[in-house]
Amino acid sequence: MSPVRSGMAESESESFVVLVAVALELGDAFVERVRAVRPGAELVSMPYATSIPSGEARSAEHGHGDVDLNAAQLSDAARDAWKRADVAIVLDVPDDLASLAPNLRWIQCAAAGVDKFDLASFSRAGIRLSNASGLGAASISEFVIGRILQVCKNLPTFDDQQRRHEWTVHFGTELTGRTIGIVGFGSIGRQVARRAQAFDMRVVASRASASTGDHDPDADAMFSSADLDLMLSECDVVVACLPSTPATIDLFDAARFSAMRRGAIFCNVGRGVQVVEPDLIEALESGHVRAGILDVTRVEPLPANDRLWDAPNLLLSPHSSVSLDRYAANLEVLVVDNLRRFLEGDRLINEVDLTGD
């Protein structure tokens, strides 16, 4: 399939190519906004789904997955687009990027997570990287609160009873006065906190840079990572919103679940590798954890024979907590703003430190 081109740089003495490697519609308004910042810019639409002749796009196009996008798989049109690109909007990148895209100087990731990228190779190639942290925070936090309400108000039970035409009374749990603990107090965690406060919940939170006792306007108490177990012992609900780092892999294991109050609700909208899933299942079976809410799992898509499907009191969703109805429009705003910053040599919004410091 040939790439879709908009805004050919005929008026510019030097071409400037923006490769859109995600399913972002190149509407006239978006093209005009890009060209207002960089006159004559050429936009090339080449999403992964049309880049690979077999049509077998890696699952990371949807924000997750472990399959390598081999540069050799790309169509001739896709290879040409990467070769000419100065800027790329992506969810993932092919391997051997330095050879494939010699002109590339900035990558705008359309998602928040960048753990799939080889940051050192970007640094060596002189490629800057920014992510879309915060774009989905509002919708993800709404999802989290909705799932918590499902558990506390017995909504799945009532739905099941309606399907079976059964009239059995169940009374729910009140959120007012309960303590919610947020592990990872970034953009998503803060949005969860603000919505929980609207339900008059007590909010406690931990983050890597915090010290126990720190003040934060969005939390009633802050804890350091070292005091995570102490925080968990106070929580009726625990929400994990963490990025994937060596320190967060297998963070929630049997010991962590034991540290939670008996009857606590556990929710993970961070990364699947942070949960030791057999330990969560055991905690659910014993009743120590009242309910689990997982939007992410260690293996995605989750195999049909995985034990998680049948774990008691577990609500699963296929990495779908973000809402996309406004995401594309918000991403366009971020791209245009960051393009202006890039051209002016300024720091980008959500620019990633490639040194790892």
Side-chain angles (χ1 to χ4, degrees):
M1 179 178 292
S2 298
V4 177
R5 294 186 175 88
S6 299
M8 295 297 290
E10 296 174 354
S11 63
E12 292 291 302
S13 59
E14 183 180 352
S15 65
F16 187 85
V17 177
V18 178
L19 172 61
V20 183
V22 295
L24 182 63
E25 184 177 350
L26 301 185
D28 291 342
F30 178 50
V31 174
E32 289 175 3
R33 291 166 70 188
V34 169
R35 294 184 69 189
V37 175
R38 180 34 166 100
E42 177 186 356
L43 278 73
V44 181
S45 178
M46 183 57 66
Y48 292 127
T50 59
S51 296
I52 304 173
S54 66
E56 297 177 357
R58 62 177 294 174
S59 57
E61 183 175 356
H62 304 289
H64 47 84
D66 300 313
V67 181
D68 287 335
L69 182 60
N70 193 313
Q73 293 177 289
L74 299 179
S75 66
D76 290 343
R79 293 176 68 85
D80 178 68
W82 280 100
K83 182 178 180 180
R84 297 188 301 110
D86 296 278
V87 171
I89 305 168
V90 309
L91 278 168
D92 206 346
V93 297
D95 58 6
D96 196 18
L97 193 62
S99 298
L100 181 69
N103 298 321
L104 192 63
R105 290 296 173 264
W106 164 42
I107 291 174
Q108 171 66 62
C109 182
V114 296
D115 47 289
K116 65 176 75 69
F117 296 133
D118 182 354
L119 302 186
S121 70
F122 289 4
S123 180
R124 289 192 300 269
I127 299 172
R128 299 170 69 181
L129 173 66
S130 54
N131 65 28
S133 178
L135 259 63
S139 62
I140 293 173
S141 65
E142 291 170 357
F143 179 94
V144 169
I145 296 298
R147 282 302 215 186
I148 292 170
L149 287 170
Q150 277 189 283
V151 173
C152 291
K153 303 306 179 184
N154 296 316
L155 302 186
T157 298
F158 295 146
D159 292 341
D160 183 59
Q161 287 183 177
Q162 182 177 351
R163 284 190 292 269
R164 292 185 285 109
H165 298 193
E166 176 184 323
W167 187 275
T168 302
V169 175
H170 299 274
F171 296 106
T173 302
E174 187 171 315
L175 292 182
T176 299
R178 304 285 181 176
T179 296
I180 183 171
I182 300 171
V183 187
F185 212 42
S187 56
I188 296 172
R190 287 187 181 279
Q191 292 291 338
V192 173
R194 292 166 187 170
R195 284 157 178 76
Q197 287 171 334
F199 284 87
D200 293 324
M201 298 186 76
R202 174 175 177 257
V203 175
V204 297
S206 72
R207 65 169 180 259
S209 60
S211 296
T212 300
D214 282 354
H215 172 74
D216 191 286
D218 293 320
D220 296 291
M222 291 297 301
F223 291 81
S224 67
S225 297
D227 286 333
L228 177 58
D229 287 348
L230 176 63
M231 187 190 87
L232 295 178
S233 70
E234 301 183 9
C235 297
D236 301 290
V237 180
V238 176
V239 180
C241 316
L242 291 161
S244 179
T245 69
T248 64
I249 294 174
D250 295 337
L251 181 65
F252 293 96
D253 56 9
R256 281 277 135 67
F257 293 123
S258 295
M260 297 178 191
R261 282 182 178 174
R262 183 170 183 83
I265 299 168
F266 174 71
C267 173
N268 186 20
V269 289
R271 290 291 183 265
V273 294
Q274 293 156 7
V275 176
V276 180
E277 292 168 348
D279 292 355
L280 174 59
I281 293 172
E282 184 175 339
L284 290 167
E285 290 175 340
S286 72
H288 186 80
V289 172
R290 172 182 176 180
I293 300 166
L294 297 182
D295 186 52
V296 288
T297 55
R298 296 185 81 98
V299 178
E300 299 182 6
L302 188 66
N305 63 349
D306 195 284
R307 290 179 60 205
L308 284 174
W309 289 110
D310 300 310
N313 301 316
L314 179 62
L315 298 177
L316 281 170
S317 53
H319 208 138
S320 305
S321 59
V322 70
S323 301
L324 298 181
D325 53 341
R326 296 184 179 178
Y327 197 91
N330 292 338
L331 178 60
E332 290 182 6
V333 172
L334 176 64
V335 167
V336 173
D337 196 348
N338 264 346
L339 177 59
R340 182 180 296 105
R341 292 167 180 263
F342 171 76
L343 294 172
E344 294 175 355
D346 294 336
R347 182 166 180 80
L348 307 172
I349 298 172
N350 296 333
E351 183 157 6
V352 176
D353 181 2
L354 301 182
T355 67
D357 294 337

